[in-house]
Amino acid sequence: VQAYISEKEQASSKCRIDSLFSPIPILSAKRKTSSLLALPSGNANSVDKTYEKLLAQLMASMLYPHLDFAAEQSRTDSGVLIRDLVFYNNRSIDFMQDISNDYGSRQIVMEIKNVRVIEREHINQLNRYLANEFGRFGILLTRNPLPKPMFKNTIDLWAGQRRCIIVLDDQDLKTMCEIYENKQRIPIEVIKKKYIEFTRACPA
C-alpha cells in the first residue's frame, strides 16, 4: 500500500488541468441527468430547448476526452443545415479509431430529438448530415428505443449506403451517468455497446 501511495504521489506532478475544457463534476452530472429524465417529450414551453442544452452539457463532459471540442447548433456556411451537436473525434481509443477508419468520421455529428417516437424523417435528417469529414456514422439522441420499423430503416441505410446511425435513449444516458460516477468503465463504451448491437443485426 505504501509503495502504491508513493507511486501516485510522484505521478501527481505530471497531472495538469486542461485549459481548453473542464468537465462538469459528478454531482452536477447526476443532477442534470435527473432533470433531463424528468422532462416531458415534445416542444411545449420550449422543453425541447432545455432538453438539448442539458444533453449537450452532459455529453460534452461524459465523452471527454475521447470526443472533444463540442459545438452546439453547428451551421454549414450556407446556414441551410444546422447540426445539433458535433464533436471532434480524437481517435484516442481503438473504437473511435475504427469509426474513423470504417466510416471516415473525423468528426461525430449527433442529432437531438426530444420526441416520444423517432420517425423516418428524423433518421433521414441525420443521414443528410453524414458527408465529408462527418463520414457515415451518426448518433440520434432521444427518449425511447427505436420502434422495430425504424430500426429496420437504419439497417437498410447500412445495407444500401454503408451508413451507420445508432440511437442513445434515456436508459443509455442513465447508464452513461452511472459509469461517469463509478469510473469502472468509460461512458463512451455505452456508444460502443450500441454500435456492436447494431452491427450484429446487419446483414453479412
Side-chain angles (χ1 to χ4, degrees), residues 64-76:
Y64 173 85
H66 312 294
L67 296 183
D68 206 353
F69 301 105
E72 299 177 53
Q73 297 294 306
S74 174
R75 294 175 179 264
T76 57

Side-chain angles (χ1 to χ4, degrees), residues 1-199:
V1 173
Q2 289 299 325
Y4 175 81
I5 293 173
S6 176
E7 179 184 345
K8 290 300 180 184
E9 287 176 343
Q10 292 174 16
S12 66
S13 61
K14 300 177 182 179
C15 296
R16 296 287 185 272
I17 295 174
D18 189 337
S19 59
L20 298 180
F21 180 72
S22 296
I24 59 177
I26 290 172
L27 183 59
S28 179
K30 291 174 67 176
R31 288 174 176 166
K32 288 179 184 294
T33 300
S34 295
S35 297
L36 187 148
L37 294 176
L39 290 173
S41 58
N43 57 14
N45 300 316
S46 298
V47 69
D48 56 330
K49 301 302 180 186
T50 302
Y51 176 75
E52 290 178 10
K53 183 176 181 180
L54 287 171
L55 198 45
Q57 292 171 349
L58 284 164
M59 298 302 281
S61 288
M62 293 193 295
L63 297 177
Y64 173 85
H66 312 294
L67 296 183
D68 206 353
F69 301 105
E72 299 177 53
Q73 297 294 306
S74 174
R75 294 175 179 264
T76 57
D77 286 340
S78 64
V80 174
L81 298 179
I82 306 174
R83 310 173 190 94
D84 286 341
L85 190 57
V86 173
F87 289 90
Y88 180 74
N89 180 5
N90 278 333
R91 293 165 285 182
S92 54
I93 56 175
D94 290 346
F95 168 55
M96 294 313 302
Q97 182 65 61
D98 289 345
I99 294 299
S100 178
N101 293 342
D102 295 345
Y103 299 98
S105 298
R106 294 190 295 272
Q107 299 196 62
I108 304 296
V109 60
M110 300 184 183
E111 187 68 13
I112 301 173
K113 295 297 179 187
N114 185 34
V115 295
R116 187 175 60 84
V117 179
I118 287 292
E119 298 177 354
R120 188 179 301 272
E121 178 52 34
H122 300 137
I123 295 171
N124 291 341
Q125 182 178 355
L126 175 54
N127 187 43
R128 287 193 291 270
Y129 299 156
L130 302 183
N132 302 321
E133 72 270 19
F134 299 106
R136 303 181 310 281
F137 176 85
I139 299 173
L140 264 174
L141 304 171
T142 189
R143 308 309 301 267
N144 298 301
L146 280 182
K148 285 185 178 180
M150 293 302 100
F151 183 69
K152 183 181 183 301
N153 184 220
T154 63
I155 296 296
D156 291 343
L157 274 175
W158 185 89
Q161 305 176 32
R162 287 301 187 266
R163 295 191 175 199
C164 176
I165 292 177
I166 63 172
V167 171
L168 299 181
D169 57 41
D170 280 357
Q171 184 56 51
D172 297 317
L173 180 68
K174 185 177 179 181
T175 301
M176 291 176 76
C177 186
E178 290 170 354
I179 293 172
Y180 188 64
E181 178 183 6
N182 62 40
K183 306 294 184 183
Q184 292 181 343
R185 284 179 173 264
I186 51 177
I188 201 169
E189 290 189 353
V190 174
I191 297 178
K192 181 178 181 180
K193 174 179 178 290
K194 297 300 289 275
Y195 174 70
I196 291 170
E197 292 172 350
F198 174 84
T199 56

